[in-house]
């Protein structure tokens, strides 16, 4: 989808579909805004008729499709899309509206779309066009590479021309639209990676996918194979990956990697993102029940988000040194699998007593977090993981669980989540949770029992971050969606890309 921004009069632009975003109409007798009035005139009064009848009020996600007939409007169809109440007029309402336009246009096989938008109080043209581009591109996402023919007959939108009211805003609006496209496309790449089935998306395939993205956008990439993992004494990821015929990998992506050993010049601050990359989680010897097990192909959603995030960092030229570390492994039962009762030594030297091989995410992250901290001494570290069913029970699909040792970083992510429409919610991480995972035979055990399962998992991870400011994001509930709605497709969500970039773009020390 190609997205452009102009300030032409929407009624004069030829299009297969003219979409018009309409703020809530509180009084049907009040005059239409000048822009809506012009479209209404070109339609021969089609809009005002519907409005005075009370049939269209611009409510959230309300739509109205009209055909101009012989009137002077140059588009084949007009779709009015409601934006809802002013208090609902946040950026997410714009994403939802643009998502609705994008979906309806492709269902109507209308490849050329003009999107007329009003000025919204409190929202800059730049932020508005970013949100619109995000919603449109995210809603157009399909995962149909395994189908002979697409499921629903439709035609993707080819061009979306956003028409804003004020010509003076064009520069910033165009910058916003460009950023929105990059963010949404990066999120779609993350969705693609997590939607891939386990037989295709092995740890090695994930490494290849990361290498491909790195090459396309100019990231440094390094992949550690099993001999290297052994040399580096990464006993935790080796234990989890040991049960599978598909060997584990540690993958490192770097944006703005410092070149050579130059001693002069100020080094930009380093931020690390760490992703859980379990390409399939059968539970291992502590095998999962078979019902719903297929969903565990998306247990590398944290890793997918890290790949998407690093891609966006490169394309948006983020002025920091950003590092992505991905712990990729497949958790399978076999004669070489790790067992309940095993004690494994992580790279940090800490020993982990394995009580349940299905609590494998925290085990692979132990090595990834330690490696990130030791190798890069980052200013801050954020990990993303489909870590616990407990977090999914606590927050559902409505928020990502946040656990942290640092209030400032927590606040940055909480705000970024709000602004990007990817909500995060803080959950506790107390000394009690750390006590709950003390082991009788080793340093720590990999489960703390049923109580506060998301917090004890976070407590486990906290053993490997030292005093680096760190946030753990549990995306078990937000990484996968059971149904399609507005700009969300059923399946992998690619959650986190927009939020992390929002944080990075607003980062000032
Ligand atoms: N990958 C799962 C968590 C998960 C469950 C993610 C559902 C998304 C949807 C994780 O590896 C796991 O199995 N966790 C166990 C931990 C338990 C054994 C301590 C869980 O949550 O049941
Ligand atoms: Mn598991
Ligand atoms: Zn898992």
């Amino acid at each position: 989808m190609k997205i452009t921004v102009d300030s032409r009069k929407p009624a004069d632009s030829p299009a297969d579909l003219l979409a018009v975003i309409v703020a809530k109409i509180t009084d049907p007798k009040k005059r239409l805004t000048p822009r809506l009035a012009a479209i209404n005139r070109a339609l021969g009064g089609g809009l005002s008729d519907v409005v005075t009848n009370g049939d269209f009020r611009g409510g959230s996600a309300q739509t109205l499709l009209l055909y101009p007939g012989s009137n002077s409007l140059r588009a084949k169809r007009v779709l009015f899309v409601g934006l809802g109440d002013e208090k609902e007029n946040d950026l997410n309402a714009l994403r939802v509206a643009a998502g609705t336009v994008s979906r309806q246009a492709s269902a109507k096989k209308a490849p050329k779309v003009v999107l007329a938008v009003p000025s919204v109080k409190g929202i800059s043209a730049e932020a508005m066009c970013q949100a619109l581009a995000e919603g449109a591109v995210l809603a157009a996402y399909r995962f149909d590479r395994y189908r002979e023919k697409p499921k629903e007959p439709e035609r993707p939108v080819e061009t979306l021309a956003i028409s804003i009211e004020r010509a003076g805003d064009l520069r910033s609006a165009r910058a916003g639209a460009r950023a929105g496209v990059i963010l949404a496309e990066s999120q779609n790449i993350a969705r693609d990676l997590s939607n891939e089935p386990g037989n295709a998306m092995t740890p090695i395939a994930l490494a290849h996918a990361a290498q491909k993205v790195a090459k396309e956008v100019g990231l440094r990439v390094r992949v550690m194979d099993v001999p290297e993992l052994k040399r580096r004494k990464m006993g935790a990821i080796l234990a989890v990956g040991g049960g599978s015929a598909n060997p584990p990998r540690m993958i490192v992506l770097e944006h703005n990697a410092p070149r050579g050993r130059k001693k002069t010049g100020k080094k930009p601050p380093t931020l690390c993102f760490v992703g859980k990359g379990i390409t399939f989680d059968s539970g291992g010897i502590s095998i999962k029940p078979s019902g719903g097990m297929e969903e565990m192909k998306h247990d590398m959603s944290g890793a997918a988000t890290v790949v998407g995030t690093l891609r966006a960092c490169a394309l948006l030229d983020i002025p920091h040194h950003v590092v992505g570390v991905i712990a990729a492994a497949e958790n399978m039962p076999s004669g070489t699998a790790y067992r309940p009762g095993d004690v494994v030594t992580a790279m940090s030297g800490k020993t982990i007593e394995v009580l349940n091989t299905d609590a494998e995410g925290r085990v692979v992250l132990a090595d990834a977090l330690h490696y990130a901290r030791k190798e890069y001494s980052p200013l801050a570290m954020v990990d993303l993981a489909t870590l616990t069913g407990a977090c999914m029970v606590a927050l559902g699909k409505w928020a990502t669980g946040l656990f942290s040792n640092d209030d400032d970083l927590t606040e940055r992510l909480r705000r970024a989540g709000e602004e990007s429409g990817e909500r995060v919610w803080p959950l506790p991480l107390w000394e009690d949770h750390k006590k709950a995972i003390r082991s009788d035979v080793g340093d720590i055990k990999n489960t703390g029992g049923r109580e506060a399962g998301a917090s004890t998992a976070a407590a486990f991870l906290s053993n490997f971050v030292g005093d680096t400011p760190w946030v753990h994001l549990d995306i078990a509930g937000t990484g996968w969606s059971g149904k399609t709605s507005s700009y969300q497709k059923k399946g992998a969500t690619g959650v986190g890309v927009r939020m992390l970039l929002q944080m990075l773009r607003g980062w000032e020390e």
Side-chain angles (χ1 to χ4, degrees), residues 36 62 135 146 165 222 227 333 336 368 454 483 492 506:
L36 285 179
Q62 194 187 5
Y146 291 102
E165 286 189 350
R222 222 150 42 71
T336 57
K483 67 175 208 309

Side-chain angles (χ1 to χ4, degrees), residues 203 206-207 210 221-224 249-253 324-328:
L206 182 53
V221 60
R222 222 150 42 71
V223 178
M224 299 177 215
R249 291 288 186 269
M250 192 72 82
I251 305 161
V252 184
L253 288 166
V325 178
I326 290 168

